[in-house]
Amino acid sequence: MLSKAELYRIVFNSDTKQGRQFDIILLWCILFSVFIAIVDSVPNLPPTLHTILYILEWLITIVFTIEYLLRVYISHNTVRYVFSFWGAVDLLSILPTYLSLFVWGTNYLLVVRILRLLRVFRILKLANFNAESIVLMKALKASMHKITIFLFAVMTINILLGTVMYVVEGGRNGFTSIPQSIYWAIITITTVGYGDIVPRTNLGKFISSIAMIVGYAIIAIPTGIVSVEMSKAADSAQKKCPECSVGNDIHANFCSHCGTALQ
Amino acid sequence: MLSKAELYRIVFNSDTKQGRQFDIILLWCILFSVFIAIVDSVPNLPPTLHTILYILEWLITIVFTIEYLLRVYISHNTVRYVFSFWGAVDLLSILPTYLSLFVWGTNYLLVVRILRLLRVFRILKLANFNAESIVLMKALKASMHKITIFLFAVMTINILLGTVMYVVEGGRNGFTSIPQSIYWAIITITTVGYGDIVPRTNLGKFISSIAMIVGYAIIAIPTGIVSVEMSKAADSAQKKCPECSVGNDIHANFCSHCGTALQ
Amino acid sequence: MLSKAELYRIVFNSDTKQGRQFDIILLWCILFSVFIAIVDSVPNLPPTLHTILYILEWLITIVFTIEYLLRVYISHNTVRYVFSFWGAVDLLSILPTYLSLFVWGTNYLLVVRILRLLRVFRILKLANFNAESIVLMKALKASMHKITIFLFAVMTINILLGTVMYVVEGGRNGFTSIPQSIYWAIITITTVGYGDIVPRTNLGKFISSIAMIVGYAIIAIPTGIVSVEMSKAADSAQKKCPECSVGNDIHANFCSHCGTALQ
Amino acid sequence: MLSKAELYRIVFNSDTKQGRQFDIILLWCILFSVFIAIVDSVPNLPPTLHTILYILEWLITIVFTIEYLLRVYISHNTVRYVFSFWGAVDLLSILPTYLSLFVWGTNYLLVVRILRLLRVFRILKLANFNAESIVLMKALKASMHKITIFLFAVMTINILLGTVMYVVEGGRNGFTSIPQSIYWAIITITTVGYGDIVPRTNLGKFISSIAMIVGYAIIAIPTGIVSVEMSKAADSAQKKCPECSVGNDIHANFCSHCGTALQ
């Protein structure tokens, strides 16, 4: 029988063989349960398949419930775990199935069930993918401020463009209100272009042509921002040689260019 | 009672606590008034809501009018303020509501009302967002020249492509004139792709396939331009160490790499 | 009366005041003539406007003819000019109007008329826009080889994807032949997405989902290529200080960082 | 008569004149045979053309068969060649034509026939395009890990978004199941935007607007990743001068900046 400390190491860490096995089993359970929820939504499934999916969903929910109770039992600070982000996600991934026993028309519970997918990121976080995603995260955090300004400017353009098109198209051709026109503006500026709402007047077409070209040019801005930050993050993840200032791998002991010993 | 100089500091600057409070209140008033204008355009609103929105719009307009008169009164050089860019925007954000009393069919005044949104940028400019947006602006200004050449080249491609497709599709399938064909070319090259005008002839499909691939490749150009300028702007916002030429934060007093004192 | 050498300087160069004036007049003539051709294609124009456009087109053609004859007369090597790229473009910009006197159904001559637009680039080339566009051109030339490999790989993906979808959709739903399916693949991979051909089978939708995500990821490649080459081109357009190896403006005489005199 | 070693050099290498000629002939045969397969799929071709295409396909298949047998015969290690990647591709490019003699309804064999196109890459690999594509490949391999994390995050967003929209649109308007909704989410996030499935409810439109703007911002991430890796790959393909640390061409013997001899 495993002690509480040993269990903790297996369940919460991944630095032991058993810990990694636990993670991998959990990973597949999560992906499988999300797959079940997705397939279950397809209409006109044969009743037999429906029944099988129902049973599988309950089996996985029981596994997750045991896992949740285990986590609650072995965590050093139970209250902190329960109210932590991952504690909440763990609880939310089992609740919908139990609730579906009592509540009818539980369609919206589906979204909560799919939230299980988030748990995959905890497992990845524990695993080796860490180093790479830290560089990614660092670059994203550094560019968050500039991206916010950029998105605010884009929203302003969308609101102004939507209002202008609402007035130009005169509330017709799908531009029935400013919110609808803003919806069209977002579709256009982001180059999604569904085509469910399109300008019909010549002036409207002219204005949207300009908007498209502007949208085409400004997509370069977030790309530039992220590229620069990613380049910085990649640089700072290097050891700079004190002699020749060539960047070396973070784990290097000697400079790859001049052989100077690195601290 | 506040003196004229104290009022000036609150209204025009944001370096005092009251100045910042004034800015935040103004910010929410602007966003709220834009929200009202947007909601007001939705057709089939209940008459009660319409009346409430009408009253709210008048309340906010009165607030903005008081603010405008205050700005006119306290500014050191009244004439210069009134004819400045922000002075004009401030006036334009109150005019439409008053004009709507005298003019009927004031749909196009909506655009002027939405221009209020621009005032948000003055508030942001005064606030802390400054440093980030300066780097952004610097990079954009530096790349403006190259972007202009690029956009000119793209417009030439669009005009040539539009003319070719007008001739190829023979004025049918939506390609009814060269301006319409240019509108289609812009939709295609910018990858928006509404699908309201699509080629029907085989030659037309072949030519647009090539145009799409070209458009796909040239979107890389503005991105490259902005990335390089953004990288330069980020570099020049750093203090270079005279000893080891490592870039340091603009506010650093000592080099993060070798400890040399920076001017 | 101007000598042949003086005329040459005005017409072919732009280093004199008269040369620049000549260029600017020519620029506006070109843009105006292209504008006429575009407007002329709009159906249901009033007959009077049509007549005016017809007369204006002839006036501009006469101006261009005089300019062409002048260039032929004053160029040092007439044969070389006539058979040069720009000589051919100059001739092609006047031919269609004369040909339209003899040939009926001259719709396709429109494309040749629009080719006049290319002449704008000669004028820009002579003018100050030069320095910027040289950096752009240098970066594009350097990345041409990599972009070619990339486009070849994209075309291979499109052909394979088109064939797979033709087989999967069974020649129905718009996927009536492999060329049609390749046309759809190009629309999808380039993210244009007209929506005139869309998969209807579940397997088809699944395959196109994967294709879209792949297309989304690979658009990063040309951008990366151009960014790097543009960065290199911008670097090599700098003077590097021999002391501190900081990059300086190409026209700088002293290093902006340490003050060392630059050659 | 050529010896086995000489034949090997011609067929497998491209460092002799005959080897290059062999490659070029093979390249055109491949492209031509793919072209035949594509044209052959067009419905309502005249029967004569169909017969000609059929004969040409057999001719090329015979050429490829001879080439395959030659490769098997001359390769140093026959078993290794036959079971190698290129050996399998070579076999797969001749099999479909022979199989079509025995099997009816061989539409799916078309895909195998088109796989011949892959053989072009072997020829390019042997030829001079090598240096460029090595830099490309190196950058892609280095970014593969980060791109995988990114694509995984994008798929999570698509699954969550699809589920939310399935619940919001209530299984109507094309959002008939979660897989369908995920298909829509992918179309939207990748900015393809067919428009075959579009949200009809106001909440649905609001959520997709946010999704589009998010998609617009996150497309910057893979671009940033690839740009940085490509920049690193381009750097490491340079020789750094030990004196002034300026990067030189990999084949340079002396530093372009200070003239120091490079190893």
Side-chain angles (χ1 to χ4, degrees), chain D residues 217-239:
Chain D
I218 59 176
I219 202 168
I221 298 173
T223 310
I225 296 168
V226 175
S227 292
V228 169
E229 293 303 337
M230 216 151 260
S231 167
K232 271 192 208 163
D235 268 8
S236 72
Q238 288 190 321
K239 259 187 198 167

Side-chain angles (χ1 to χ4, degrees), chain A residues 107-111, chain D residues 162-171 175 178 181:
Chain A
N107 223 353
Y108 56 90
L109 286 178
L110 251 175
V111 179
Chain D
T163 310
V164 169
M165 287 300 284
Y166 169 68
V167 172
V168 165
E169 295 279 321
F175 298 84
I178 296 185
S181 295

Side-chain angles (χ1 to χ4, degrees), chain D residues 30 60 69 93 111 118 123 125 153 157 162 194-195 207 223 226-227 237:
Chain D
I30 294 165
I60 281 179
L69 295 176
S93 67
V111 179
L118 290 180
I123 296 172
K125 208 169 147 188
I157 292 174
Y194 283 144
I207 292 169
T223 310
V226 175
S227 292

Side-chain angles (χ1 to χ4, degrees), chain B residues 146 178 184 188 191 193 205 223, chain C residues 41 132 180 191-194 223:
Chain B
K146 284 203 203 73
I178 296 184
W184 167 86
T188 302
T191 78
K205 285 179 180 180
T223 311
Chain C
S41 75
E132 297 285 348
Q180 291 280 348
T191 78
V192 170
Y194 283 145
T223 310

Side-chain angles (χ1 to χ4, degrees), chain C residues 146 178 184 188 191 193 205 223, chain D residues 41 132 180 191-194 215 223:
Chain C
K146 284 204 203 72
I178 296 185
W184 166 85
T188 301
T191 78
K205 285 179 179 180
T223 310
Chain D
S41 75
E132 296 286 347
Q180 290 281 348
T191 78
V192 170
Y194 283 144
T223 310

